[in-house]
PDB file of all heavy atoms in Angstrom:
ATOM      1  N   SER A 328      -5.394  -0.353  20.071  1.00 79.00           N
ATOM      2  CA  SER A 328      -5.434   1.041  20.541  1.00 79.00           C
ATOM      3  C   SER A 328      -4.517   1.944  19.719  1.00 79.00           C
ATOM      4  O   SER A 328      -4.903   3.066  19.227  1.00 79.00           O
ATOM      5  CB  SER A 328      -4.946   1.094  21.948  1.00 79.00           C
ATOM      6  OG  SER A 328      -5.008   2.412  22.507  1.00 79.00           O
ATOM      7  N   GLU A 329      -3.385   1.421  19.289  1.00 77.00           N
ATOM      8  CA  GLU A 329      -2.542   2.279  18.376  1.00 77.00           C
ATOM      9  C   GLU A 329      -3.025   2.376  16.998  1.00 77.00           C
ATOM     10  O   GLU A 329      -2.860   3.402  16.374  1.00 77.00           O
ATOM     11  CB  GLU A 329      -1.112   1.644  18.411  1.00 77.00           C
ATOM     12  CG  GLU A 329      -0.060   2.425  17.601  1.00 77.00           C
ATOM     13  CD  GLU A 329       0.313   3.718  18.415  1.00 77.00           C
ATOM     14  OE1 GLU A 329       0.040   3.823  19.575  1.00 77.00           O
ATOM     15  OE2 GLU A 329       0.886   4.709  17.808  1.00 77.00           O
ATOM     16  N   ILE A 330      -3.708   1.272  16.509  1.00 82.00           N
ATOM     17  CA  ILE A 330      -4.379   1.324  15.240  1.00 82.00           C
ATOM     18  C   ILE A 330      -5.501   2.418  15.226  1.00 82.00           C
ATOM     19  O   ILE A 330      -5.633   3.153  14.279  1.00 82.00           O
ATOM     20  CB  ILE A 330      -4.939   0.000  14.820  1.00 82.00           C
ATOM     21  CG1 ILE A 330      -3.863  -1.020  14.536  1.00 82.00           C
ATOM     22  CG2 ILE A 330      -5.909   0.003  13.686  1.00 82.00           C
ATOM     23  CD1 ILE A 330      -4.315  -2.473  14.337  1.00 82.00           C
ATOM     24  N   GLY A 331      -6.255   2.396  16.389  1.00 86.00           N
ATOM     25  CA  GLY A 331      -7.238   3.445  16.468  1.00 86.00           C
ATOM     26  C   GLY A 331      -6.596   4.849  16.527  1.00 86.00           C
ATOM     27  O   GLY A 331      -7.195   5.764  15.834  1.00 86.00           O
ATOM     28  N   GLY A 332      -5.568   5.030  17.254  1.00 84.00           N
ATOM     29  CA  GLY A 332      -4.868   6.333  17.292  1.00 84.00           C
ATOM     30  C   GLY A 332      -4.363   6.708  15.827  1.00 84.00           C
ATOM     31  O   GLY A 332      -4.582   7.870  15.460  1.00 84.00           O
ATOM     32  N   SER A 333      -3.754   5.810  15.152  1.00 81.00           N
ATOM     33  CA  SER A 333      -3.256   6.039  13.811  1.00 81.00           C
ATOM     34  C   SER A 333      -4.469   6.339  12.817  1.00 81.00           C
ATOM     35  O   SER A 333      -4.257   7.194  11.976  1.00 81.00           O
ATOM     36  CB  SER A 333      -2.535   4.809  13.296  1.00 81.00           C
ATOM     37  OG  SER A 333      -1.396   4.498  14.119  1.00 81.00           O
ATOM     38  N   THR A 334      -5.527   5.619  13.040  1.00 87.00           N
ATOM     39  CA  THR A 334      -6.687   5.908  12.151  1.00 87.00           C
ATOM     40  C   THR A 334      -7.193   7.316  12.423  1.00 87.00           C
ATOM     41  O   THR A 334      -7.573   8.129  11.532  1.00 87.00           O
ATOM     42  CB  THR A 334      -7.839   4.919  12.447  1.00 87.00           C
ATOM     43  OG1 THR A 334      -7.306   3.618  12.196  1.00 87.00           O
ATOM     44  CG2 THR A 334      -9.070   5.191  11.522  1.00 87.00           C
ATOM     45  N   GLY A 335      -7.267   7.731  13.693  1.00 89.00           N
ATOM     46  CA  GLY A 335      -7.692   9.093  14.013  1.00 89.00           C
ATOM     47  C   GLY A 335      -6.745  10.119  13.485  1.00 89.00           C
ATOM     48  O   GLY A 335      -7.250  11.161  13.010  1.00 89.00           O
ATOM     49  N   VAL A 336      -5.494   9.903  13.517  1.00 84.00           N
ATOM     50  CA  VAL A 336      -4.503  10.832  12.928  1.00 84.00           C
ATOM     51  C   VAL A 336      -4.799  10.983  11.462  1.00 84.00           C
ATOM     52  O   VAL A 336      -4.869  12.137  10.943  1.00 84.00           O
ATOM     53  CB  VAL A 336      -3.012  10.446  13.189  1.00 84.00           C
ATOM     54  CG1 VAL A 336      -2.141  11.336  12.434  1.00 84.00           C
ATOM     55  CG2 VAL A 336      -2.724  10.424  14.642  1.00 84.00           C
ATOM     56  N   LEU A 337      -4.846   9.864  10.739  1.00 85.00           N
ATOM     57  CA  LEU A 337      -5.068   9.828   9.249  1.00 85.00           C
ATOM     58  C   LEU A 337      -6.431  10.536   8.980  1.00 85.00           C
ATOM     59  O   LEU A 337      -6.562  11.373   8.024  1.00 85.00           O
ATOM     60  CB  LEU A 337      -5.059   8.527   8.663  1.00 85.00           C
ATOM     61  CG  LEU A 337      -5.337   8.379   7.133  1.00 85.00           C
ATOM     62  CD1 LEU A 337      -4.204   9.260   6.401  1.00 85.00           C
ATOM     63  CD2 LEU A 337      -5.135   6.902   6.746  1.00 85.00           C
ATOM     64  N   TYR A 338      -7.448  10.254   9.700  1.00 91.00           N
ATOM     65  CA  TYR A 338      -8.813  10.848   9.515  1.00 91.00           C
ATOM     66  C   TYR A 338      -8.740  12.318   9.621  1.00 91.00           C
ATOM     67  O   TYR A 338      -9.274  13.119   8.832  1.00 91.00           O
ATOM     68  CB  TYR A 338      -9.797  10.217  10.508  1.00 91.00           C
ATOM     69  CG  TYR A 338     -11.165  10.827  10.397  1.00 91.00           C
ATOM     70  CD1 TYR A 338     -11.955  10.401   9.341  1.00 91.00           C
ATOM     71  CD2 TYR A 338     -11.702  11.660  11.339  1.00 91.00           C
ATOM     72  CE1 TYR A 338     -13.199  10.916   9.157  1.00 91.00           C
ATOM     73  CE2 TYR A 338     -12.985  12.183  11.200  1.00 91.00           C
ATOM     74  CZ  TYR A 338     -13.731  11.839  10.107  1.00 91.00           C
ATOM     75  OH  TYR A 338     -15.031  12.313  10.044  1.00 91.00           O
ATOM     76  N   GLY A 339      -8.038  12.787  10.733  1.00 88.00           N
ATOM     77  CA  GLY A 339      -7.889  14.334  10.935  1.00 88.00           C
ATOM     78  C   GLY A 339      -7.072  14.917   9.795  1.00 88.00           C
ATOM     79  O   GLY A 339      -7.516  15.980   9.286  1.00 88.00           O
ATOM     80  N   TYR A 340      -6.093  14.219   9.356  1.00 84.00           N
ATOM     81  CA  TYR A 340      -5.271  14.788   8.173  1.00 84.00           C
ATOM     82  C   TYR A 340      -6.141  14.889   6.920  1.00 84.00           C
ATOM     83  O   TYR A 340      -6.101  15.771   6.147  1.00 84.00           O
ATOM     84  CB  TYR A 340      -4.039  13.883   7.886  1.00 84.00           C
ATOM     85  CG  TYR A 340      -2.973  14.034   8.926  1.00 84.00           C
ATOM     86  CD1 TYR A 340      -1.960  13.116   8.940  1.00 84.00           C
ATOM     87  CD2 TYR A 340      -2.927  15.042   9.877  1.00 84.00           C
ATOM     88  CE1 TYR A 340      -0.933  13.125   9.860  1.00 84.00           C
ATOM     89  CE2 TYR A 340      -1.919  15.098  10.799  1.00 84.00           C
ATOM     90  CZ  TYR A 340      -0.899  14.155  10.783  1.00 84.00           C
ATOM     91  OH  TYR A 340       0.100  14.248  11.692  1.00 84.00           O
ATOM     92  N   LEU A 341      -6.936  13.762   6.656  1.00 88.00           N
ATOM     93  CA  LEU A 341      -7.823  13.720   5.538  1.00 88.00           C
ATOM     94  C   LEU A 341      -8.889  14.828   5.468  1.00 88.00           C
ATOM     95  O   LEU A 341      -9.059  15.480   4.429  1.00 88.00           O
ATOM     96  CB  LEU A 341      -8.432  12.328   5.326  1.00 88.00           C
ATOM     97  CG  LEU A 341      -7.594  11.211   4.875  1.00 88.00           C
ATOM     98  CD1 LEU A 341      -8.321   9.874   4.965  1.00 88.00           C
ATOM     99  CD2 LEU A 341      -7.213  11.439   3.415  1.00 88.00           C
ATOM    100  N   VAL A 342      -9.575  15.001   6.575  1.00 90.00           N
ATOM    101  CA  VAL A 342     -10.628  16.003   6.587  1.00 90.00           C
ATOM    102  C   VAL A 342     -10.001  17.390   6.518  1.00 90.00           C
ATOM    103  O   VAL A 342     -10.582  18.319   5.910  1.00 90.00           O
ATOM    104  CB  VAL A 342     -11.523  15.890   7.836  1.00 90.00           C
ATOM    105  CG1 VAL A 342     -12.311  14.513   7.712  1.00 90.00           C
ATOM    106  CG2 VAL A 342     -10.751  15.988   9.163  1.00 90.00           C
ATOM    107  N   ALA A 343      -8.845  17.555   7.073  1.00 87.00           N
ATOM    108  CA  ALA A 343      -8.216  18.851   6.919  1.00 87.00           C
ATOM    109  C   ALA A 343      -7.699  19.129   5.439  1.00 87.00           C
ATOM    110  O   ALA A 343      -7.673  20.279   5.031  1.00 87.00           O
ATOM    111  CB  ALA A 343      -6.898  18.942   7.916  1.00 87.00           C
ATOM    112  N   PHE A 344      -7.295  18.068   4.831  1.00 83.00           N
ATOM    113  CA  PHE A 344      -6.867  18.184   3.425  1.00 83.00           C
ATOM    114  C   PHE A 344      -8.035  18.339   2.398  1.00 83.00           C
ATOM    115  O   PHE A 344      -7.923  19.143   1.467  1.00 83.00           O
ATOM    116  CB  PHE A 344      -6.132  16.865   3.070  1.00 83.00           C
ATOM    117  CG  PHE A 344      -5.726  16.682   1.563  1.00 83.00           C
ATOM    118  CD1 PHE A 344      -4.827  17.562   1.069  1.00 83.00           C
ATOM    119  CD2 PHE A 344      -6.283  15.633   0.885  1.00 83.00           C
ATOM    120  CE1 PHE A 344      -4.495  17.444  -0.284  1.00 83.00           C
ATOM    121  CE2 PHE A 344      -5.979  15.480  -0.492  1.00 83.00           C
ATOM    122  CZ  PHE A 344      -4.977  16.353  -1.014  1.00 83.00           C
TER     123      PHE A 344
END
Side-chain angles (χ1 to χ4, degrees):
S328 184
E329 189 68 20
I330 290 172
S333 301
T334 303
V336 173
L337 179 58
Y338 179 73
Y340 288 168
L341 283 173
V342 294
F344 173 63

